[in-house]
Amino acid sequence: MAEPDPTSIAGKAFPLRDAFDHVVVGAGEAGIAAARAAAAAGEKTLLVDEHPLDPGLFGLDIPYLFGARFDAAIQNADRMEERIVAARPTLMAAMEEGVQVALGTAAWGGFMKGQASRTLPKPLLGLADREAAWLVTFDRLTIATGARDVVLPFPGWTLPGVMGARGFDAALRLYGAFNGRRIAVLGGDALAAQVIATARNAGLDVVAHRETPTPLRIEGREEVTGLSWLDRAGWRDVACDTVIMAVDTVPMVDLPDLLGCTIRWDAAFGGFVPQGSGAIAIVGDAAGTAPAARLAWLDAAFAEDHALVCACEDVTAGDLRALRPPRYLDAAGPQAGLGALGLLNQDQVKRLTRAGMGPCQGRRCRESVHALLSRDGVAPLASHRAPLRPLPLSVLAALEEDPALRANWTGWFGIAAQWLPHWEPAPEDAEYIGGRLSGEDVVK
């Protein structure tokens, strides 16, 4: 009988913080309702929500396009938690009904029994706050993570003061930390109307509303100072400190995709939408959003090849159309281009151009890149991998491991030479023992 592979997870324990009948991710209206229903049915229920965010995630526009238009109050986690509870009064009702609520807690990973993890006894959910990461098991999972903003790559879109509709709503109503005054709104559907109504109810000045796609520029050097657009009379402009992109939102599909849910393209529901199955249910905006004229707006933004699509990696629309490698590689000339290679996967384009490989993890450019790839059909969904949120190494280091797991985690598929310099080949007798590389010629 062959000896078991020491690098396999078979027969090894995963230290768990807790086990739940039902976990709900996302404490918006749909998530709170699902958690309360589960508790009423007698299920041991956990409701987690990543708000209040770590201040560093605001700067990375995760999960929304915040555009640096928030005040210093976000640094005070306790104060922000109080504001979130006040903005969502049914949270208190959920707690009183027995739901365990964890705010400021992100779902960074999920692990189901499958081809690469057949030995998992139960599904696992990876959670983390600002101090530590941990694992819980669940029998049922409801994903209510909502939707995120679609970003339009018009000139000036990277300036502080350019926000998405979800980012504006969270900064204003959830955190009470919005620090703008004069706003301009892009978008002509219900989403834009909701933004305008919310702004006016808060006493803000809505100085411009562009309802249809047109060439435009967001003005400013260090932050937004105005908006300019082209109409029949020529270029017009207005002074403002905030531009809100309220053209469209898309369901957050990262966690469903990671857990193996079916993700299908449906333009009538905001693009890629996930489908729950078995132990996983998807509710609220995470299951689909209202359609909008997103493509026409993106076309207007892509009018020039120098339109900056991926700000993290400095990739333009022209770079994507030509599939140019990153400039810092100093590689020779343009590649074959999109049209010559057929329908490409967004992951392929990411590796070729680095578009979507930056610290925002593609949240600001994913829809723009996908639109450019989908001229001859709908390009496949870009993949998602854990961790779904940027986590400090100190937080991941706090995740406890079984000694048997820790002993072999450095041996990737048992490759003994993994940590050796490429100019020092491993001896034939080298192997991993207890997580350390052995061999007389290797260990000095």
Side-chain angles (χ1 to χ4, degrees), residues 6-18:
T7 66
S8 169
I9 64 172
K12 295 172 182 162
F14 289 84
L16 304 173
R17 178 173 291 192
D18 211 337

Side-chain angles (χ1 to χ4, degrees), residues 63 166 171 198 267 284 303 321 410:
R166 289 288 196 262
T198 300
R321 290 186 177 110
T410 56

Side-chain angles (χ1 to χ4, degrees), residues 18 31 98 107 138 145 151 162 201 242 261 295 311 324 338 376 398 405 433:
D18 211 337
F138 61 87
T145 47
V151 179
V162 179
N201 287 339
T242 306
C261 294
L295 187 57
R324 294 189 186 98
L338 294 178
D376 299 319
L405 283 171
I433 299 176

Side-chain angles (χ1 to χ4, degrees), residues 101-263:
V101 176
L103 298 180
T105 301
W108 58 265
F111 310 93
M112 304 280 287
K113 184 176 293 187
Q115 290 296 321
S117 52
R118 299 178 183 178
T119 65
L120 285 179
K122 295 186 72 173
L124 299 175
L125 190 67
L127 302 175
D129 57 20
R130 299 188 191 190
E131 304 297 329
W134 64 93
L135 298 171
V136 299
T137 63
F138 61 87
D139 294 320
R140 295 176 58 204
L141 176 69
T142 295
I143 299 174
T145 47
R148 58 181 176 81
D149 300 302
V150 170
V151 179
L152 306 171
F154 285 105
W157 74 266
T158 60
L159 286 169
V162 179
M163 308 185 74
R166 289 288 196 262
F168 170 69
D169 185 72
L172 180 66
R173 297 199 305 125
L174 191 60
Y175 288 92
F178 176 70
N179 68 351
R181 188 67 213 173
R182 291 170 55 85
I183 70 171
V185 180
L186 307 180
D189 293 313
L191 184 64
Q194 182 181 19
V195 165
I196 292 170
T198 300
R200 287 176 173 159
N201 287 339
L204 302 174
D205 296 327
V206 181
V207 297
H209 177 204
R210 302 305 303 154
E211 298 184 57
T212 56
T214 180
L216 60 83
R217 299 189 301 262
I218 301 167
E219 308 290 355
R221 297 188 64 181
E222 295 181 353
E223 62 178 356
V224 171
T225 58
L227 177 70
S228 301
W229 65 91
L230 183 65
D231 62 17
R232 294 179 180 178
W235 281 94
R236 300 179 59 189
D237 62 85
V238 65
C240 61
D241 56 42
T242 306
V243 174
I244 300 176
M245 295 182 176
V247 167
D248 203 1
T249 60
V250 288
M252 291 193 193
V253 300
D254 47 4
L255 183 57
D257 186 39
L258 189 67
L259 291 168
C261 294
T262 298
I263 312 291

